[in-house]
Amino acid sequence: ALVQCLRQFAAQRNWERYHAPKNLVMALTGEVGELNEIFQWMSEDESREAGRNPATSLAVREEIADVLLYLVRLADVLDVDLDQAVRHKLEVNARKYPADDGG
């Protein structure tokens, strides 16, 4: 699983000592900022095509991957079960924002 791969990757490089939650949050924020840079001056239509546009698709994929990697690593360090947390949050959001029966 991804969690184990990231754990092993960090261990092989002796990076656990750097993976305090505050450091991982700061790294995550930096990666979100890099993703933001890609989209910053795009029109709405350009942003919808960024993942398919040869000029931006690789950067978009890599930055999204970086965001996910730091998020997964942060959850692991904090002993947060991401699947459980997401399912709980979806339930909370479903109650907070009920679906419109009108379609």
Side-chain angles (χ1 to χ4, degrees):
L2 185 56
V3 171
Q4 286 79 22
C5 287
L6 288 173
R7 214 180 272 163
Q8 181 179 8
F9 189 88
Q12 289 171 338
R13 289 154 182 81
N14 197 26
W15 286 355
E16 296 102 330
R17 60 190 164 152
Y18 304 116
H19 286 186
K22 73 169 199 72
N23 294 344
L24 291 168
V25 168
M26 287 188 286
L28 174 61
T29 301
E31 295 301 337
V32 169
E34 290 179 20
L35 183 59
N36 185 61
E37 276 185 51
I38 297 168
F39 290 91
Q40 186 171 4
W41 303 114
M42 288 183 182
S43 69
E44 187 173 326
D45 289 339
E46 289 169 332
S47 73
R48 292 181 190 281
E49 295 299 318
R52 292 183 286 278
N53 182 335
T56 54
S57 63
L58 177 60
V60 167
R61 285 194 309 272
E62 287 185 350
E63 295 309 331
I64 287 173
D66 284 341
V67 168
L68 179 62
L69 292 171
Y70 276 115
L71 186 61
V72 169
R73 185 72 181 130
L74 176 63
D76 184 35
V77 167
L78 292 173
D79 294 322
V80 171
D81 180 323
L82 273 176
D83 186 64
Q84 182 183 39
V86 168
R87 288 177 190 278
H88 171 76
K89 186 61 177 176
L90 285 172
E91 290 172 8
V92 168
N93 286 350
R95 288 189 301 274
K96 189 173 181 180
Y97 308 105
D100 181 11
D101 290 335

